[in-house]
Amino acid sequence: MILSLWRLGESSRVLAFTVHEPPNPPAASIERAERLVFTKDGFSFAALLLGPIWLLLNRMWIVLAIYVVIAFGIGAVLELLKVPHIWATLTGLALNFLIALEGDSLRRWTLERRGWQFVGTVVGRTTAECERRFFENWLPAQSAQRVQPATVGSVPAMAPLSPAAHDLGAAAVEPPPLPMMVPPQQDDSQDRRWRLFGRRN
């Protein structure tokens, strides 16, 4: 019975992730996909158990500094009040519990401060399923965005002109006829005089 309830809980569990992209991504879609970061939304058991080590592994320096300051401040107050050490341990667990509740939100905040862009969200039963479902929609969209600028800048093809329009166009661009050159008339009056003079002689 307990095993059946456990399997039912596992089958009904749904994971949610937010996807983030670093600044200045490469042009190739495959390289961009490799640099994407999936941040799970929900309670983090790793943050509960590790606390500051989890913050260190995720490079959350500001959050880690705030955690250390609060932990040392609470420890100093408890030491001044002569409180039993069990309370210091419980205080540390309480801080880890807060980190476990808001660790994913703090991680998203850290990524946004570094210039990472929010890409989208995805849900699924497992991490692998969430990644597969996200890339099935994201990769075709990136391919479409690469093709779109080339089609926008292209010159649309013109429809062929009809015969009548073609004749009109030809007539419009046909140069005007050149004027006819009339050859100069030769003055044959002198020839006539020589002929007459020859006859008289």
Side-chain angles (χ1 to χ4, degrees), residues 38-172:
F38 287 74
T39 302
K40 186 175 69 68
D41 188 16
F43 190 84
S44 176
F45 288 96
L48 176 64
L49 298 176
L50 301 177
I53 299 177
W54 184 83
L55 297 176
L56 183 63
L57 293 176
N58 288 280
R59 304 177 63 184
M60 302 167 62
W61 314 122
I62 297 179
V63 181
L64 177 61
I66 296 174
Y67 178 93
V68 171
V69 170
I70 293 176
F72 274 97
I74 294 176
V77 171
L78 294 178
E79 188 67 23
L80 290 175
L81 297 177
K82 304 298 181 180
V83 177
H85 295 288
I86 185 64
W87 289 102
T89 303
L90 293 177
T91 303
L93 292 176
L95 286 177
N96 287 3
F97 185 78
L98 291 176
I99 295 297
L101 285 176
E102 300 296 334
D104 296 328
S105 299
L106 294 173
R107 188 183 182 190
R108 284 190 287 268
W109 174 76
T110 302
L111 293 175
E112 291 177 359
R113 287 191 68 259
R114 295 174 181 171
W116 288 59
Q117 299 294 327
F118 171 78
V119 178
T121 59
V122 63
V123 295
R125 295 182 180 180
T126 62
T127 303
E129 180 182 353
C130 291
E131 293 179 353
R132 177 181 56 80
R133 295 179 64 181
F134 174 79
F135 287 120
E136 285 178 354
N137 297 324
W138 184 78
L139 288 175
Q142 299 305 311
S143 301
Q145 290 179 3
R146 288 200 308 270
V147 174
Q148 185 175 3
T151 58
V152 171
S154 61
V155 179
M158 298 182 62
L161 297 175
S162 61
H166 188 274
D167 295 340
L168 290 176

